Amino acid sequence: MAYWFQRAWIDNRWQHDVRLTVAEGRISALEVGVGATPSDERHAAALPGLCNVHSHGFQRGMAGLSERRSRPNDNFWSWREIMYRFLDRLTPEDVAAITAQAYLEMLEGGFTRVGEFHYLHHDPAGAPYADPAAMAEAIVEASTATGIGLTLLPVFYAHGNFGGAAPSHGQRRFLSNVDGFASLLDASRSKLVGDANMGIAPHSLRAVAPDQLAALLAMSPTGPVHIHAAEQEKEVADCVAWSGARPVAWLLDNADVDARWCLIHSTHLDAGEVARLAASGAVAGLCPITEANLGDGIFPASDYLVADGRFGIGTDSNILIDAAGELRALEYSQRLAHRARAMLAGDAAPFVGANLYTRALVGGAQALGVEAGFAIGQPADIVSLDLTHPSFAGTNDATLLDRWIFAGGAGTIDCVWRAGIKRVDGGRHVDRTAIAAAYRKSVERIVA
Ligand code: ZN
């Protein structure tokens, strides 16, 4: 099968009259500056799909259910209580149905692979299921049903706070010891299909003691390592009280953080941490829409990009799923903080949209342990834009991505292919009706 595009984003720029040939889900030929043949399927503009580096799929089911004032200080910690109550009722069937809706929306929103930070392992009483990877299987089912690429990140969670504090009742479905986690990893790996891959996710320094972190890294010497870090000011203060160091500094000092690491959020960094995280080669996993929704704070993105730090974007709580929207929220957070415009551009990359897209594409792929961009041998993960949309009127190469990110958004995505299969057509996932019906049934029962 061959596709011809007026424009395709190759090697960080638009190239014209591009023909992609796809065989067995991968790009087998890539020609630039050629005409279409009569049998080619033709489209206007092709972007390589982005990796979504951080998702908790089931949280899509509680989107919009925690926006009400309920106490003097509604914050991340009060939101977390609502989230714990929501997940109390979830079965593996619910997780499959809700996560499938989230993954469908990711494909419609421009993501073609997701890193699922998977911590809901056990039954509602906190006991392992007969199959300890029953929940991992539900996530794999959601990825298969929708077609999105999957990087499964099973989470290790043992403690309620720094210093080995006992976990709370609300955390009983997440908990493992090191031996149990090794079994869980093996069982989870056996569920993977297609080009799905796997890493590990020590949840956070709150939930994982230093000796446990060392054991996990020894257990998984290659592949992605994801950890929540410095999302909350209270977490930073608690970490300093425990260790004398801030969370990101502690990790950089104690954990050989390198290019396989993705530090999710990294919101609260001092200047030294910004420079050291950038120099480590690790990816900062930024989730700007969720971080705004939860009132987490503002990542120092402009300083971090000056230091040439790597980042990927994630939809985290899945309150709203839109790749362009995440990049827009990231730029706007800097504009509001600094009262200036075009913050996340540079002298060599003056257009914000192109700079953000390029960096999120490369950093996101690194974080999920895959290659980025259109190239021979790569999975055919393609997002086409509808250039007849008014947002693109009179567009040119320089401004096209700015128009998509700042003015067009998810509504201007036309088709999405994942591993060569067209999953979104005319902006709609081809199985949206059935997936949405199953989602509605699960959520209506849970919130009843
Ligand atoms: Zn998270």
Side-chain angles (χ1 to χ4, degrees):
M1 184 73 192
Y3 303 90
W4 184 88
F5 300 95
Q6 289 171 4
R7 288 182 177 86
W9 186 256
I10 301 169
D11 295 336
N12 307 328
R13 63 192 175 91
W14 289 114
Q15 303 204 33
H16 290 246
D17 304 318
V18 174
R19 191 161 183 265
L20 290 178
T21 308
V22 176
E24 295 176 359
R26 292 181 181 271
I27 297 170
S28 60
L30 199 167
E31 302 160 88
V32 176
V34 299
T37 67
S39 62
D40 292 351
E41 185 172 326
R42 301 178 190 202
H43 295 272
L47 289 166
L50 285 173
C51 286
N52 177 359
V53 301
H54 190 65
S55 160
H56 310 288
F58 75 83
Q59 291 182 15
R60 173 64 181 83
M62 56 174 283
L65 297 181
S66 64
E67 308 301 327
R68 157 182 174 226
R69 175 164 291 191
S70 56
R71 60 174 91 182
N73 293 309
D74 287 301
N75 58 22
F76 171 84
W77 308 103
S78 57
W79 169 84
R80 193 175 71 160
E81 288 305 314
I82 296 169
M83 186 264 286
Y84 284 177
R85 288 200 297 275
F86 179 81
L87 65 79
D88 266 357
R89 294 171 154 211
L90 294 179
T91 65
E93 294 73 26
D94 294 323
V95 166
I98 295 170
T99 303
Q101 179 67 23
Y103 290 178
L104 171 158
E105 293 174 6
M106 288 174 199
L107 285 159
E108 291 181 350
F111 294 109
T112 49
R113 174 173 282 268
V114 57
E116 181 67 25
F117 197 102
H118 163 48
Y119 61 89
L120 183 61
H121 300 307
H122 306 314
D123 74 14
Y129 286 101
D131 174 353
M135 283 295 195
E137 186 169 35
I139 290 163
V140 172
E141 269 179 48
S143 73
T144 307
T146 56
I148 200 165
L150 176 67
T151 297
L152 185 66
L153 300 160
V155 171
F156 179 86
Y157 202 117
H159 299 295
N161 210 340
F162 293 95
S168 72
H169 181 71
Q171 294 161 343
R172 67 196 178 284
R173 301 188 72 177
F174 320 155
L175 304 174
S176 300
N177 58 32
V178 169
D179 290 343
F181 188 70
S183 306
L184 181 63
L185 280 186
D186 288 341
S188 300
R189 193 175 289 108
S190 74
K191 308 293 185 189
L192 301 181
V193 297
D195 67 357
N197 63 353
M198 206 170 87
I200 56 168
H203 179 273
S204 58
L205 291 177
R206 299 194 306 271
V208 185
D211 60 322
Q212 294 166 332
L213 180 60
L216 300 183
L217 294 169
M219 192 184 293
S220 187
T222 59
V225 180
H226 287 222
I227 186 168
H228 291 126
E231 180 177 9
Q232 290 293 319
E233 288 177 311
K234 175 181 182 299
E235 171 199 346
V236 175
D238 289 352
C239 189
V240 170
W242 164 65
S243 70
R246 302 163 61 85
V248 171
W250 191 95
L251 285 166
L252 291 164
D253 287 339
N254 293 285
D256 290 331
V257 171
D258 63 11
R260 75 186 181 114
W261 285 70
C262 182
L263 275 61
I264 305 301
H265 305 301
S266 304
T267 308
H268 300 288
L269 303 180
D270 66 20
E273 290 174 308
V274 168
R276 292 181 64 203
L277 181 60
S280 74
V283 173
L286 309 179
C287 310
I289 292 175
T290 292
E291 289 153 7
N293 180 266
L294 296 180
D296 288 343
I298 298 174
F299 175 77
S302 51
D303 293 342
Y304 184 71
L305 292 202
V306 167
D308 210 23
R310 303 177 193 188
F311 76 87
I313 52 167
T315 60
D316 192 2
S317 69
N318 296 310
I319 179 78
L320 182 70
I321 297 173
D322 178 355
E326 294 289 354
L327 296 173
R328 185 189 318 134
L330 179 60
E331 167 68 19
Y332 282 175
S333 71
Q334 306 303 299
R335 294 187 187 189
L336 291 165
H338 296 273
R339 300 177 208 177
R341 302 188 75 253
M343 291 297 297
L344 301 179
D347 292 340
F351 292 91
V352 175
N355 192 41
L356 288 176
Y357 194 84
T358 297
R359 289 171 175 268
L361 179 70
V362 173
Q366 177 183 316
L368 299 191
V370 296
E371 300 290 319
F374 293 142
I376 291 173
Q378 279 280 88
D381 296 350
I382 307 166
V383 174
S384 78
L385 300 177
D386 173 13
L387 295 194
T388 65
H389 189 282
S391 291
F392 295 116
T395 197
N396 59 35
D397 287 358
T399 58
L400 203 165
L401 282 172
D402 289 334
R403 289 175 153 213
W404 179 53
I405 290 167
F406 292 102
T412 62
I413 289 175
D414 183 13
C415 300
V416 179
W417 296 259
R418 158 61 202 154
I421 298 173
K422 190 188 282 184
R423 300 290 185 171
V424 174
D425 196 356
R428 280 180 66 96
H429 192 282
V430 295
D431 295 321
R432 192 202 269 186
T433 303
I435 289 169
Y439 169 83
R440 189 173 295 112
K441 195 172 156 202
S442 269
V443 172
E444 286 176 352
R445 181 180 60 74
I446 292 159
V447 302

